[in-house]
Structures are given as C-alpha cells and as structure tokens.
C-alpha cells in the first residue's frame, strides 16, 4: 500500500523557520496537501495543491514540492504554530488516499 | 457558515455494527464530495472513504472497504458510515470532512468535530 513518510518531530525556537518534509513515490505527479491539528481539535487545511494557501491562513505558511518530496515551511514560527502537521496525497491510481504519519512541531 | 455535525458514536462490542451520521448545513451539500477520516487515540489521521456529490463514485481504503460503507442522502444533507464486524482496532474518533469544489477538488477544507467510537468487550 502507498505510504507518505514524515519525520516524527521538528523543533524550532520562536522566529525561526520550520520545515516539515513528506516523501512519497507518487508526489512527482500528485499534489500534496497539509493539515494542522492542534491538541483536541479537528484538523485545518493550511496548504493545498503543493503550494496554495487557503484564505485565512497566515502568509508564514508556505509549501513546495520537488520530485518525491513535499515540504511545508513555516517562516518565523510562532508559539501558536505548535501542533501536529499531516501531509496528504493519493497514490498513482488516484483511488487510494493516504495521510503521512504526522509531525509534531514544537516551538519553544 | 459551514457546519458538519457527526453523531452515532459510542461503546460497542467486537463484532457488532454501528452507523455514523454527519449532518451538514451552511452549504449546498448535494454539490460537494464528502469523506470520512478517523484517528485512533494518540495516533495519526487515517483516510477511510470518499463519496462523490451524487453518490455514484465511492473509493475506500483497501483495508476497510470490506467492512465499512459510505453513503449519503442529499435530501437530508446527511453523510453516513456503516461499520460492520467492528474490531478493537477500529476504536477512534471519526471525522466527516468536505471536499472543496474548484478546478480540482480540494480535500477536507472543512471538518466536523468528530464522534468517538469505542470497540471493547
């Protein structure tokens, strides 16, 4: 079955840049999407189609994708950005969706 | 305002069945694809299934499609998940989520708060 691989944790100080990666074999041809989930809350879409930001998401959130790796970048991370982040995509057939295992971002 | 309200969760024994519902409001439900996503306690998100706006296309996780069935009633603006032969490992929070319309559908632009399913003897 198709898998997306994320690092379990990333830690930065406030104001630094946080980068969270997501690797998958189908990413060269399929979009990546990113979701933020704070403790006890439902996830929130923060990046879609590799690098587009929904309305209401701060400009410090950006996305990119190259080859088999997609990256979520938080420029000038803030304490309120502490959360679990999940990438999402589909396999080469487009019929099986998958989330990455999630990355816990610590900002302190 | 888009609202998704899940219900139907609870405590069931292994082998039993359960049907979850997701009542949608604040948007034209019949025009949007919908999904179920689950999250076991302390674990990551797991995609369960997706159904097209008219209900004519359904895709489900290979590991679940033999036991879980997604459906919808557009006249009631409600999404369903029928779960059969439940196992302890199906214990999770179950979220319904909407796909945004656009040139390409965008997955999960809105989420409900979830309903908790606990499978235990």
């Amino acid at each position: 079955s198709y898998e997306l691989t994320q690092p379990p944790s990333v830690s930065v100080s406030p104001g630094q840049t946080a980068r969270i990666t997501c690797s998958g074999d189908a990413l060269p041809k399929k979009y990546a999407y990113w979701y933020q989930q704070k403790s006890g809350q439902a996830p929130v879409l923060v990046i879609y189609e590799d690098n587009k930001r929904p309305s209401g998401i701060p400009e410090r959130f950006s996305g990119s994708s190259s080859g088999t790796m997609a990256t979520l970048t938080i420029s000038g991370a803030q304490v309120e950005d502490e959360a679990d982040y999940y990438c999402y995509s589909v396999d080469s057939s487009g019929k099986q969706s998958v989330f990455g295992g999630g990355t816990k971002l610590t900002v302190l | 305002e888009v609202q998704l309200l899940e219900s139907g969760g609870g405590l069931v024994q292994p082998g039993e069945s359960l049907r979850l519902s997701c009542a949608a409001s604040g948007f034209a439900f019949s025009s949007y694809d919908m999904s179920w996503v689950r999250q076991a306690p302390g674990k990551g998100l797991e995609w369960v299934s997706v159904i097209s706006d008219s209900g004519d296309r359904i895709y489900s996780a290979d590991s679940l499609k033999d036991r879980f069935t997604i459906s919808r009633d557009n006249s009631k603006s409600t999404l369903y998940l029928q779960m059969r032969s439940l196992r302890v490992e199906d214990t999770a929070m179950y979220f319904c989520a909407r796909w945004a319309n656009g040139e390409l559908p965008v997955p999960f632009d809105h989420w409900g708060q979830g309903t908790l399913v606990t499978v235990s003897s």
Side-chain angles (χ1 to χ4, degrees), chain A residues 6-45:
Chain A
Q6 297 180 235
S9 63
V10 167
S11 183
V12 298
S13 299
Q16 287 189 327
T17 295
R19 293 182 179 85
I20 299 172
T21 59
C22 172
S23 64
D25 290 341
L27 290 179
K29 294 189 175 183
K30 300 297 184 183
Y31 285 124
Y33 302 80
W34 291 92
Y35 299 86
Q36 175 195 68
Q37 186 180 33
K38 296 184 178 179
S39 181
Q41 298 182 19
V44 173
L45 176 69

Side-chain angles (χ1 to χ4, degrees), chain A residues 20-74:
Chain A
I20 299 172
T21 59
C22 172
S23 64
D25 290 341
L27 290 179
K29 294 189 175 183
K30 300 297 184 183
Y31 285 124
Y33 302 80
W34 291 92
Y35 299 86
Q36 175 195 68
Q37 186 180 33
K38 296 184 178 179
S39 181
Q41 298 182 19
V44 173
L45 176 69
V46 295
I47 293 291
Y48 67 100
E49 293 175 8
D50 290 345
N51 55 21
K52 297 176 183 176
R53 196 173 52 249
S55 61
I57 300 302
E59 290 185 7
R60 63 181 180 274
F61 287 86
S62 64
S64 63
S65 188
S66 178
T68 60
M69 184 169 290
T71 302
L72 172 69
T73 300
I74 308 172

Side-chain angles (χ1 to χ4, degrees), chain A residues 31 33 35 37 40-45 48-49 84 86 88 90 94-101, chain B residues 37 39 43-47 59-63 65 95 99 104-109 111-113:
Chain A
Y31 285 124
Y33 302 80
Y35 299 86
Q37 186 180 33
Q41 298 182 19
V44 173
L45 176 69
Y48 67 100
E49 293 175 8
D84 293 323
Y86 296 89
Y88 163 93
V90 296
K95 295 179 180 179
Q96 288 293 301
S97 294
V98 65
F99 285 95
Chain B
V37 175
Q39 186 171 35
K43 302 298 185 182
L45 301 173
E46 180 182 12
W47 172 73
Y59 300 115
S60 299
D62 286 339
S63 61
K65 62 184 179 183
F95 296 98
W99 287 60
L104 283 177
V106 174
F108 323 137
D109 72 325
W111 298 66
Q113 287 304 306

Side-chain angles (χ1 to χ4, degrees), chain B:
Chain B
E1 180 192 1
V2 173
Q3 291 196 350
L4 299 169
L5 184 61
E6 301 94 337
S7 62
L11 174 64
V12 296
Q13 294 193 340
E16 293 186 340
S17 298
L18 199 62
R19 189 178 82 159
L20 306 182
S21 300
C22 172
S25 60
F27 66 101
F29 180 75
S30 61
S31 297
Y32 290 81
D33 298 351
M34 298 292 296
S35 270
W36 288 98
V37 175
R38 72 179 184 178
Q39 186 171 35
K43 302 298 185 182
L45 301 173
E46 180 182 12
W47 172 73
V48 174
S49 193
V50 59
I51 186 168
S52 62
D53 52 4
S54 63
D56 62 341
R57 285 176 290 112
I58 289 173
Y59 300 115
S60 299
D62 286 339
S63 61
L64 298 173
K65 62 184 179 183
D66 290 340
R67 298 187 297 121
F68 289 14
T69 303
I70 191 172
S71 63
R72 64 191 298 161
D73 185 336
N74 286 343
S75 68
K76 296 181 178 179
S77 296
T78 301
L79 178 72
Y80 302 102
L81 184 67
Q82 178 69 50
M83 303 184 294
R84 302 177 180 83
S85 302
L86 283 162
R87 305 169 180 170
V88 171
E89 54 265 35
D90 295 320
T91 295
M93 184 71 77
Y94 285 75
F95 296 98
C96 72
R98 190 187 80 164
W99 287 60
N101 286 338
E103 208 170 307
L104 283 177
V106 174
F108 323 137
D109 72 325
H110 283 85
W111 298 66
Q113 287 304 306
T115 186
L116 182 63
V117 173
T118 304
V119 185
S120 175
S121 55

